[in-house]
Amino acid sequence: MSMPKGSNAQVPTTALRVELGWRSGPGVPDADASALLLVAGKVRSDSDFVFYNQPVHSSEAVRYEGKREAGGRVTDTLLVDLARVEPSIETVVLAASADGGTFAAVPDLYIEVRDAERDTVAARFESAGATVETAFVLGEFYRRQGAWKFRAVGQGYGSGLAGLATDYGITVDEPQHAAPAPAAPVVPPVTAPPVTSAPPPPPPSAPPAAPVRLTKVTLTKAAPSVSLTKQGGTSGALRVNLNWEVHKQFTGWGSKLGRAIATHADLDLDLCALYELSDGSKGVVQALGNAFGDLHRPPYIHLDGDDRTGAVTSGENLTVNLDHTQAFRRVLVFVTIYQGARSFADLHATVTLQPQHGAPVDFSLDECTVPSTVCALALITNTGSDLVVRREARYLVPERGVSPQRTVDRAYGWGMNWTPGRK
């Protein structure tokens, strides 16, 4: 049974799954769950804000788990462990923000609190009557006489996630338009005062903390995927860059593998992409065999060149033409060691996906702990209504006599026929 607005209910001090849900359909905006941990009605710092770009609180009491879609409904979930909430925190605000419209166009919006272990409903609030709101505080957990309670709030905002976050003390990084410089005032000449010794300058103040960025997306193990559709990045060119740094000497993997990583001059990594188009055709874009692809004809993917330095300004680059998004079913970006090393061990790499329109998406590769010569980096999937990037960061170990390309094909079920190739 749904709670009326303003009512409260006691909840167990345990791990709770907070589910934001709504009915999907044509023209329905996406929505995102978030949480703010408050002391006296404000956050202590920007780190007390948990959302899709900052998915885990430092206390690990609140974690953003992400979206699921099934049976015509979408859910976005937070995991809140009230037993781990710091004693100074008085309130955990549970919010929702709409992307691409207002909540008037989001049908059957609700928030539900479930005991994560027993999977029983502890509280539920169905929000109705929205008009121009683009963000809502749907509910909150608050302490009362040593116990935790949930309150159904239903307070709307017309300023989106940024406005809601700012209201609770979050510093949001948003583009600012410079105001025109005021005209210089006309100052009449005055007699100079006598020269006196100037007081010592005040000590420099600590630099302000970096503001929360609602646009930049960093993928992690805890939050491995992001919607390019939601970020507005479904047209123009999507540039995929891999840059890396290696130690000049490495003697890991014992005597069998000996020296695993060579010098910058010797190491040659190849950025590649397996693609499957909506018409069922499949293929690979790679330097091997000069299969550099084409940006304006199928497969609408082009490998820019073959770099051996790993420099941030160049590295390996691959471009995807998102003006032909409907032509794609899935694209798997991966990297192989062509020469100069026998493993990715001691390789420190960063992957950046930069849409022409929308927020950049980046992530780091984990340290390699297996004798791998091929790593799946990112999987781009077109679901028909959404274009999703998923961080893979998956090191694979080819069997004897099996190429790295065939190894990644088998791991992801591409089903292609492979023949030897050269650069």
Side-chain angles (χ1 to χ4, degrees):
M1 181 176 178
S2 180
M3 300 169 58
K5 182 176 177 179
S7 63
N8 60 70
Q10 192 162 335
V11 293
T13 305
T14 182
L16 300 172
R17 179 161 281 107
V18 180
E19 181 180 278
L20 170 70
W22 65 95
R23 180 160 45 87
S24 60
V28 175
D30 194 16
D32 296 292
S34 58
L36 300 104
L37 290 79
L38 309 181
V39 177
K42 297 287 184 180
V43 297
R44 298 167 299 181
S45 71
D46 292 346
S47 63
D48 284 340
F49 183 29
V50 178
F51 69 119
Y52 51 80
N53 262 3
Q54 196 164 271
V56 184
H57 190 258
S58 58
S59 67
E60 298 189 357
V62 182
R63 179 183 298 269
Y64 174 75
E65 290 196 326
K67 289 188 175 64
R68 294 183 181 180
E69 184 170 1
R73 302 197 70 85
V74 183
T75 57
D76 201 18
T77 306
L78 296 161
L79 189 63
V80 181
D81 189 346
L82 293 175
R84 303 185 71 164
V85 174
E86 298 156 285
S88 60
I89 298 296
E90 302 165 350
T91 309
V92 179
V93 166
L94 307 169
S97 54
D99 185 20
T102 69
F103 275 105
V106 180
D108 300 343
L109 179 68
Y110 70 89
I111 186 170
E112 188 171 83
V113 179
R114 305 182 71 91
D115 186 315
E117 296 179 0
R118 300 177 182 177
D119 197 30
T120 54
V121 178
R124 180 184 173 96
F125 171 53
E126 297 173 2
S127 180
T131 54
V132 299
E133 296 86 355
T134 50
F136 262 104
V137 173
L138 292 175
E140 63 182 17
F141 295 120
Y142 66 98
R143 297 183 191 266
R144 181 61 55 88
Q145 298 178 346
W148 283 97
K149 288 190 172 185
F150 171 81
R151 178 183 289 115
V153 179
Q155 177 184 350
Y157 290 75
S159 50
L161 182 60
L164 183 150
T166 302
D167 198 42
Y168 286 100
I170 297 292
T171 305
V172 175
D173 181 11
E174 291 187 306
Q176 300 293 328
H177 299 286
V186 178
V187 180
V190 296
T191 304
V195 177
T196 59
S197 58
S205 57
V212 170
R213 299 187 66 181
L214 300 183
T215 54
K216 186 177 184 297
V217 180
T218 298
L219 302 182
T220 64
K221 286 182 178 179
S225 61
V226 65
S227 165
L228 290 184
T229 303
K230 183 178 69 177
Q231 301 294 328
T234 55
S235 63
L238 170 67
R239 190 172 184 83
V240 183
N241 172 264
L242 172 72
N243 64 76
W244 63 89
E245 177 183 343
V246 298
H247 292 168
K248 291 188 176 181
Q249 292 185 354
F250 181 71
T251 55
W253 301 114
S255 58
K256 288 185 179 180
L257 290 180
R259 191 165 155 162
I261 294 294
T263 66
H264 276 88
D266 296 330
L267 183 62
D268 185 6
L269 302 183
D270 283 344
L271 191 63
C272 315
L274 285 171
Y275 62 83
E276 181 179 1
L277 302 184
S278 55
D279 63 5
S281 59
K282 301 176 182 179
V284 63
V285 173
Q286 59 179 2
L288 203 64
N290 294 321
F292 286 93
D294 194 298
L295 200 58
H296 304 290
R297 294 184 297 177
Y300 306 110
I301 304 170
H302 183 255
L303 181 64
D304 295 6
D306 186 20
D307 180 74
R308 298 191 180 194
T309 67
V312 175
T313 54
S314 57
E316 289 275 313
N317 293 283
L318 183 145
T319 306
V320 181
N321 189 344
L322 295 183
D323 289 335
H324 296 273
T325 296
Q326 296 307 313
F328 295 108
R329 186 171 295 167
R330 56 177 179 158
V331 177
L332 179 68
V333 182
F334 65 100
V335 60
T336 68
I337 297 175
Y338 182 70
Q339 66 180 25
R342 299 178 66 180
S343 169
F344 280 109
D346 209 39
L347 172 72
H348 306 284
T350 301
V351 181
T352 303
L353 295 90
Q354 176 64 71
Q356 186 173 337
H357 309 288
V361 178
D362 64 13
F363 60 89
S364 297
L365 296 184
D366 298 325
E367 183 179 351
C368 179
T369 58
V370 294
S372 169
T373 56
V374 58
C375 179
L377 301 177
L379 182 64
I380 305 171
T381 306
N382 184 2
T383 67
S385 60
D386 201 359
L387 191 64
V388 178
V389 173
R390 179 179 177 85
R391 173 188 186 267
E392 296 294 311
R394 181 181 175 188
Y395 293 105
L396 302 170
V397 181
E399 298 176 2
R400 182 181 296 273
V402 178
S403 69
Q405 289 83 356
R406 189 185 295 271
T407 298
V408 76
D409 181 317
R410 289 179 178 178
Y412 287 86
W414 233 264
M416 291 174 54
N417 296 319
W418 296 91
T419 56
R422 291 186 177 182
K423 290 188 182 181

